[in-house]
Amino acid sequence: IAEFIGRGWLSSFDYVSIRANSREQRLVDSLKKRGADGDYQVKEMNAVLNRETGIRQLYESVRRYAAGKKGIVYAVSIAHARQIAAYYSLHGVEAVAIDSRTPALERKELVEDFRRGKISVLVNVDIFSEGFDCPDVEFVQLARPTLSLAKYLQQVGRGLRKSDNKESCVLIDNVGLHRIFGLPVRDRDWEAMFEGRMAGNAQPRTRMENNGLSVSCSLSEDSKRNEGLEIVMTHNCLLDTIRNGDLICLGGGGPAGEEQWTVLKACRDRQSGLWGLRCGNKITVIPQYREVFDICANRAAVRFKDGRTGVVDKSGVLMVVTGCCRRLRFLKGELLSVTKEDGSDCYTDLKTNRTYQERPVVFSYGGIELLRVGETFHSRTRKAYTSMHGLHKDSLCFYGFYLKIPDYRVPKSFRLVDPVWSAIFDVFACVLEGDDEEVYWCCGCLADRSIVVMDGEGNYYHVEKGKGKRYIACNAPKAGEADFASVVEGLRKEAGRRAESVQRERQQNEEEKRRKRLEEIKDVLPFRMGMKWGLKWGDRIVVPPCYRNIC
């Protein structure tokens, strides 16, 4: 959704919601019963939410934020929908209720009247969650709580179609769904959901105060406190956030009831005008910053009283100094965008505190990360490494616990495990998984797939998967210390024995599987299907028809 809004294919939106500590939110949180589909039970929702005070609040929300606009309201039940439509119509808003009991012909006429503008508001019960196409819908009001992410996105999606006369859409969340699912533009791990590694539906009371965004609207605390609802996101702020690539994934996979109070937020002191930091209701940094540019996880980009800027943790400890600049903002991949006083941008790697003039692109290989800056790759290790110019990403090879980077700038002291093999054809820089110290030179691979590497000081290490590196030799051995050649010879013999043992074990396992398989099918009988023959064991087909003949 964020990408499509950024490309102009979907409409931007303003998002308005009830407050976290409001009466309406407490009513939604009190819902306990579940239906057959795992969502809130309709009967209980109707009993709790279909009340005059709640419907009056719905109308006031539309009057304040979507007066004169054309929209869709999602209700809890048929009775709820009809009550809402009647109340809106009584107060001058042309509204009708459509539900499963509405005759098909009448429903078609009402929808056409809505398209032509004769009707301003359609109130429905799960009728227009998907497949309804009316691009000039200007607001969507969520009056039905749900635990289904799909239903939430389908409902808000009815207002995100582009239209010539629509600058943006207003999403009015009267049941606090953004605290469960985040904003519609939140980055989600769909692959993990489809594979069953992450639940797609939400758990009640699992709330996310930052709504999946690293920015918040610039509304004063006083103006927010005087309203029945709060503005979570404006369309202009959303567009800036998407264009700057500031969307981040917060939460979303934690257990039900996970505490929201670990989310870092900025707080302003009205008397001094300075900003501090807080986690929930706990102040972690007293107001002392002139400005808080951005917050990401437990870090904040701030401007100090003297005009300098930098990044601090949630306790105010300085992590990165950026001098004097106009603006700081966090990007994906632990990168920081720095807008200088002259308006130009540079980028700081928060893992290494190194600065680049071009925006880096993060490449991940297992637990190893590289930054692509222009035509070169840069390591995220303590000791900096830059690849050869113009290296293509496909020439990098990941082997499960190390990454090989082609590089012929090998030190003269470099030695190969197999000296017969020419260094011209087998010279690589090597990044080890879990090793943030430096990038090594790969000396070769042993029979058991372990490797030998050399660091920048001429020290050699043996590296096995899951065991890290182990020092074995150096280019200038001390008295009594074994030299590289003899140590490597011993490693090669040991690796050969291990590889043979692994191979024997693999063959034994395969032979055992084959023996069990033959034991299982000793009573099979051949059967014919068409021109092919297969094997049957009772009614079970052991081998499908694939043979011309069974001798």
Side-chain angles (χ1 to χ4, degrees):
I1 293 179
E3 180 184 355
F4 286 1
I5 291 175
R7 291 174 180 264
W9 298 343
L10 289 179
S11 170
S12 183
F13 59 83
D14 299 288
Y15 201 102
V16 182
S17 172
I18 56 175
R19 296 180 178 280
N21 59 352
S22 65
R23 173 182 173 276
E24 292 80 9
Q25 186 65 72
R26 289 196 297 271
L27 286 174
V28 172
D29 290 343
S30 71
L31 298 173
K32 302 297 182 185
K33 297 180 181 179
R34 302 290 178 264
D37 59 355
D39 206 344
Y40 293 115
Q41 186 192 75
V42 173
K43 184 178 179 180
E44 185 186 30
M45 285 194 295
N46 187 68
V48 173
L49 301 177
N50 189 11
R51 299 178 181 179
E52 184 179 354
T53 53
I55 294 173
R56 183 169 63 247
Q57 174 69 31
L58 295 177
Y59 168 75
E60 288 297 326
S61 303
V62 172
R63 185 186 64 81
R64 175 180 283 273
Y65 294 103
K69 294 182 181 292
K70 179 176 178 179
I72 298 176
V73 181
Y74 290 94
V76 165
S77 63
I78 294 175
H80 191 217
R82 292 178 179 178
Q83 293 269 34
I84 293 172
Y87 192 96
Y88 283 20
S89 298
L90 184 65
H91 289 78
V93 178
E94 191 65 30
V96 295
I98 295 181
D99 51 63
S100 58
R101 298 179 185 174
T102 307
L105 184 60
E106 181 183 349
R107 181 190 301 182
K108 183 178 180 181
E109 291 176 355
L110 292 174
V111 170
E112 285 303 315
D113 288 343
F114 179 74
R115 293 185 196 277
R116 291 193 294 264
K118 290 185 178 180
I119 296 173
S120 299
V121 177
L122 284 180
V123 189
N124 78 104
V125 185
D126 291 341
I127 298 295
F128 302 129
S129 291
E130 58 184 290
F132 177 73
D133 184 17
C134 188
D136 60 345
V137 170
E138 296 171 288
F139 80 87
V140 171
Q141 185 172 39
L142 304 175
R144 183 213 193 283
T146 181
L147 296 174
S148 168
L149 172 61
K151 183 170 290 186
Y152 167 66
L153 293 178
Q154 287 166 354
Q155 289 176 351
V156 299
R158 296 315 100 201
L160 299 184
R161 288 298 308 277
K162 292 283 287 185
S163 175
D164 293 338
N165 300 322
K166 182 173 72 174
E167 180 186 7
S168 62
C169 176
V170 181
L171 303 179
I172 307 175
D173 186 355
N174 286 95
V175 286
L177 291 183
H178 77 99
R179 294 193 179 91
I180 298 180
F181 304 111
L183 293 182
V185 290
R186 178 181 163 219
D187 188 20
R188 294 177 171 87
D189 190 350
W190 296 111
E191 184 175 355
M193 292 183 189
F194 292 142
E195 291 177 357
R197 293 183 284 111
M198 180 187 296
N201 286 358
Q203 298 293 334
R205 305 188 67 85
T206 302
R207 308 296 186 189
M208 300 177 308
E209 288 202 353
N210 272 14
N211 309 300
L213 291 171
S214 60
V215 297
S216 58
C217 301
S218 54
L219 300 175
S220 68
E221 292 295 323
D222 283 343
S223 66
K224 285 184 178 181
R225 193 174 292 110
N226 292 330
E227 295 182 354
L229 284 81
E230 60 182 354
I231 298 177
V232 180
M233 179 60 64
T234 65
H235 66 276
N236 288 327
C237 189
L238 175 63
L239 286 173
D240 288 341
T241 303
I242 293 174
R243 288 166 184 160
N244 295 329
D246 285 344
L247 288 173
I248 60 174
C249 177
L250 294 177
E258 182 179 3
E259 288 294 335
Q260 65 187 28
W261 308 118
T262 58
V263 178
L264 188 64
K265 301 186 77 173
C267 58
R268 186 171 181 268
D269 179 57
R270 285 176 294 173
Q271 290 184 337
S272 65
L274 298 176
W275 291 83
L277 300 175
R278 65 181 174 87
C279 288
N281 294 324
K282 180 181 178 182
I283 301 293
T284 58
V285 180
I286 61 173
Q288 56 182 276
Y289 307 121
R290 282 171 46 185
E291 191 174 358
V292 177
F293 298 102
D294 201 359
I295 292 177
C296 178
N298 287 324
R299 289 185 288 215
V302 302
R303 186 186 301 280
F304 300 99
K305 290 181 182 179
D306 59 5
R308 294 181 302 112
T309 58
V311 176
V312 298
D313 67 10
K314 66 178 181 180
S315 301
V317 177
L318 185 62
M319 303 173 69
V320 177
V321 178
T322 54
C324 295
C325 64
R326 286 188 188 177
R327 185 186 176 197
L328 302 176
R329 67 182 187 276
F330 294 109
L331 305 178
K332 279 185 177 181
E334 296 194 59
L335 297 172
L336 179 71
S337 173
V338 181
T339 303
K340 303 176 186 176
E341 295 288 355
D342 60 3
S344 62
D345 290 332
C346 64
Y347 303 89
T348 299
D349 181 3
L350 295 174
K351 284 190 173 183
T352 62
N353 206 11
R354 288 193 281 272
T355 299
Y356 304 95
Q357 298 308 310
E358 294 184 52
R359 179 168 178 169
V361 178
V362 180
F363 285 82
S364 297
Y365 302 86
I368 298 172
E369 289 185 345
L370 293 179
L371 298 181
R372 178 74 178 266
V373 183
E375 294 296 317
T376 56
F377 287 93
H378 299 257
S379 71
R380 306 190 86 171
T381 52
R382 190 178 65 83
K383 293 182 181 179
Y385 167 82
T386 303
S387 73
M388 295 186 301
H389 188 80
L391 197 65
H392 194 274
K393 63 181 180 65
D394 291 343
S395 61
L396 278 61
C397 299
F398 181 59
Y399 292 92
F401 65 102
Y402 66 99
L403 179 71
K404 290 171 78 171
I405 307 172
D407 197 331
Y408 58 75
R409 302 168 300 176
V410 58
K412 293 181 179 179
S413 60
F414 173 77
R415 300 176 67 180
L416 285 169
V417 168
D418 186 356
V420 177
W421 186 249
S422 172
I424 297 176
F425 300 105
D426 195 27
V427 176
F428 297 88
C430 184
V431 189
L432 303 180
E433 188 172 50
D435 192 324
D436 298 327
E437 185 63 23
E438 63 177 298
V439 174
Y440 302 86
W441 296 98
C442 186
C443 304
C445 182
L446 302 177
D448 63 351
R449 305 199 177 201
S450 62
I451 59 172
V452 176
V453 299
M454 185 188 82
D455 65 14
E457 303 297 325
N459 299 311
Y460 295 91
Y461 302 89
H462 180 225
V463 187
E464 299 179 76
K465 185 175 182 179
K467 296 184 180 180
K469 66 183 182 183
R470 175 173 63 89
Y471 172 81
I472 56 172
C474 66
N475 282 327
K478 298 178 182 179
E481 188 177 14
D483 64 358
F484 175 80
S486 60
V487 173
V488 166
E489 183 61 29
L491 285 175
R492 291 176 67 178
K493 291 179 180 179
E494 183 183 347
R497 288 192 294 268
R498 277 203 299 265
E500 289 177 2
S501 175
V502 171
Q503 181 64 19
R504 282 196 304 271
E505 185 177 350
R506 185 181 296 114
Q507 289 176 349
Q508 289 173 359
N509 289 338
E510 291 176 356
E511 184 63 28
E512 181 64 19
K513 289 180 181 178
R514 180 174 174 275
R515 187 192 63 78
K516 289 182 178 179
R517 175 74 168 167
L518 291 173
E519 183 68 24
E520 286 178 357
I521 66 172
K522 66 182 180 181
D523 297 324
V524 298
L525 295 173
F527 75 98
R528 185 174 181 176
M529 185 177 291
M531 300 298 293
K532 298 287 186 178
W533 288 82
L535 297 174
K536 256 187 177 182
W537 183 29
D539 294 331
R540 175 187 167 197
I541 296 177
V542 178
V543 179
C546 60
Y547 304 119
R548 289 196 308 178
N549 190 17
I550 294 181
C551 303

